[in-house]
Amino acid sequence: MPETFFIETWGCQMNELDSQRIAGSLRLRGYRRVDDERDASLILLNTCSIREKSEHKVFSRLGELRELKRETGARIGVCGCVAQQEGEHLIERAPWVDFVMGPGNVGNVDAVLDGERRVAVDFPEHRQYDLLAIDRGSPTKAWVTIIEGCNKNCTFCIVPTTRGREVSRPFGDVLAEVRAAVDSGRVEIELLGQTVNAYRCPASSRDFGTLLSAVAEIGGVRRLRFMTSHPAEVNDSMIAAMGDHANISRYLHLPVQSGSSKVLRRMKRLYTREKYLETLDRIRQAIPEIHFSTDIIVGFPGESEDDFQQTLSLIEEVRYGSLFAFKYSPRPGTPAVRIGEPVEDAIATDRLTRLFELHERIKRERLESYRGRVLPVLVEGPSKHDPSMLSGRTDDNWVVNFVADPATPLGSMLGVRIDDALHHTLRGEATT
Ligand code: 5AD
């Protein structure tokens, strides 16, 4: 019987890509992927620990898998950030787990599977990237890691612990991986890093803007995106690269976390409200109509109603198209735990609700403003809700579902007239 694997992934795109890399390595070893965990001889959980809730989910899932293991005898491996954070301790807490492998060892799956290492949670200086062994989920899109880890010390954040210090990949390696992805039909490339714009080639010191331009100029890259940028790392070279290349998405995710300079200082975000807004102005001058999105934490220790009002006024001022907001969740070992008590839960919940209400109105107005316009859309596949329609994204990263010739090849760029704005998405009809 050939070996089979089942993999479940939580969290950010980095984790999604890690799962694609692990799946690719397993396939090279002859494993077959299955969609039902009952059919698997190896079950992998690729986990997230950014907030307490995500971590709880892992342990309740492990409880279920304990039962399954009794029936099927499957091996169970925990990967990702909970694996990194808990290490040995995870096996003590859940002894039915066969191995624990952190994000630094995604390139060393073989050693773990062969039983050489049961707990692999170091960060090897030379990370392995096997570009041929990535089980990419989409026929049109490829994620490419350019930098791993994070050197910032935001006081709320577990990432520096779970993903280690920053390590950038050599410029030439990134270009080679992009070329290989394009050769396999992936016309959309997304460069990934926890602080993607802190990229610096270890050999030549070339910066993120230089890399962005070089990738945008590779023939066949129809659309280029990147995630996640840190506001304090935005520089002229990055802005110029975005302004100079029509195939770089007019979309920028720039987490602000709070609109109050007092809170930002306590978070160690390395910018003030004014500085952040000034950065956005500079970007807007070079790339008019850019779609900004952001992350916000409400209820950080010491956040007053006045601080929160400043967050609301910042959202109003920037008019973010998309926004991800979370209640502060204390993470073990992070400095914020010592800063003080979090805001009372009922107050934090209320703030979150008010914030989403404000943003819903702004998003609605923005989506409505697209009615009647014809926008270039990159075709990704059939629409999830109505398979008779196609789905894709505008170059400022809105999802559009539209009527078109069903034989349209995936990855092509079409003009789509927008007829309707729904809750999160646009709807229209192809004009070309
Ligand atoms: N509590 C709540 N949200 C957090 N984030 C990171 N750490 C925490 C935490 N301890 C949020 C930030 C970050 C996003 C990925 O998750 O907003 O940008």
Side-chain angles (χ1 to χ4, degrees), residues 234-258:
V234 173
N235 63 13
D236 289 341
S237 131
M238 165 179 168
I239 298 174
M242 292 177 74
D244 288 347
H245 297 92
N247 56 349
I248 301 183
S249 181
R250 283 182 300 121
Y251 167 78
L252 187 60
H253 184 61
L254 212 53
V256 67
Q257 312 299 0
S258 168

Side-chain angles (χ1 to χ4, degrees), residues 190-224:
E190 184 163 17
L191 306 178
L192 294 187
Q194 231 73 43
T195 44
V196 77
N197 57 338
Y199 174 84
R200 207 157 258 283
C201 171
S204 64
S205 290
R206 279 174 286 185
D207 71 356
F208 178 63
T210 312
L211 180 68
L212 209 49
S213 294
V215 173
E217 286 159 22
I218 291 177
V221 174
R222 290 217 179 114
R223 184 166 289 161
L224 175 57

Side-chain angles (χ1 to χ4, degrees), residues 19-44:
S19 286
Q20 294 182 355
R21 292 174 59 202
I22 294 168
S25 303
L26 290 171
R27 286 209 160 139
L28 285 184
R29 285 175 68 105
Y31 280 67
R32 185 168 57 83
R33 188 178 192 137
V34 292
D35 297 326
D36 185 340
E37 64 208 44
R38 308 194 147 268
D39 299 330
S41 57
L42 174 66
I43 298 178
L44 297 174

Side-chain angles (χ1 to χ4, degrees), residues 299-335:
F300 186 76
E303 183 191 68
S304 65
E305 175 61 25
D306 178 59
D307 294 319
F308 176 65
Q309 288 295 336
Q310 292 184 47
T311 298
L312 293 183
S313 78
L314 181 116
I315 295 172
E316 190 97 62
E317 194 168 334
V318 176
R319 299 182 61 77
Y320 293 104
S322 323
L323 177 156
F324 306 87
F326 316 93
K327 271 195 273 186
Y328 168 71
S329 163
R331 307 310 297 121
T334 56

Side-chain angles (χ1 to χ4, degrees), residues 62 69 76-78 90-91 94-100 118:
L62 281 175
K69 182 173 182 157
I76 297 175
V78 180
L90 200 144
I91 294 185
W96 58 96
V97 167
D98 294 276
F99 61 86
V100 172
R118 192 164 181 215

Side-chain angles (χ1 to χ4, degrees), residues 387-416:
S388 72
M389 292 174 104
L390 292 177
S391 185
R393 279 170 197 260
T394 63
D395 71 339
D396 56 351
N397 204 30
W398 292 105
V399 172
V400 188
N401 294 305
F402 55 98
V403 178
D405 179 353
T408 309
L410 302 187
S412 36
M413 197 74 88
L414 289 184
V416 174

Side-chain angles (χ1 to χ4, degrees), residues 50-51 156-158 255 257 295-297 326-331:
I50 194 85
R51 283 168 292 275
F156 52 81
C157 192
I158 194 86
Q257 312 299 0
D295 291 342
I296 286 174
I297 295 177
F326 316 93
K327 271 195 273 186
Y328 168 71
S329 163
R331 307 310 297 121

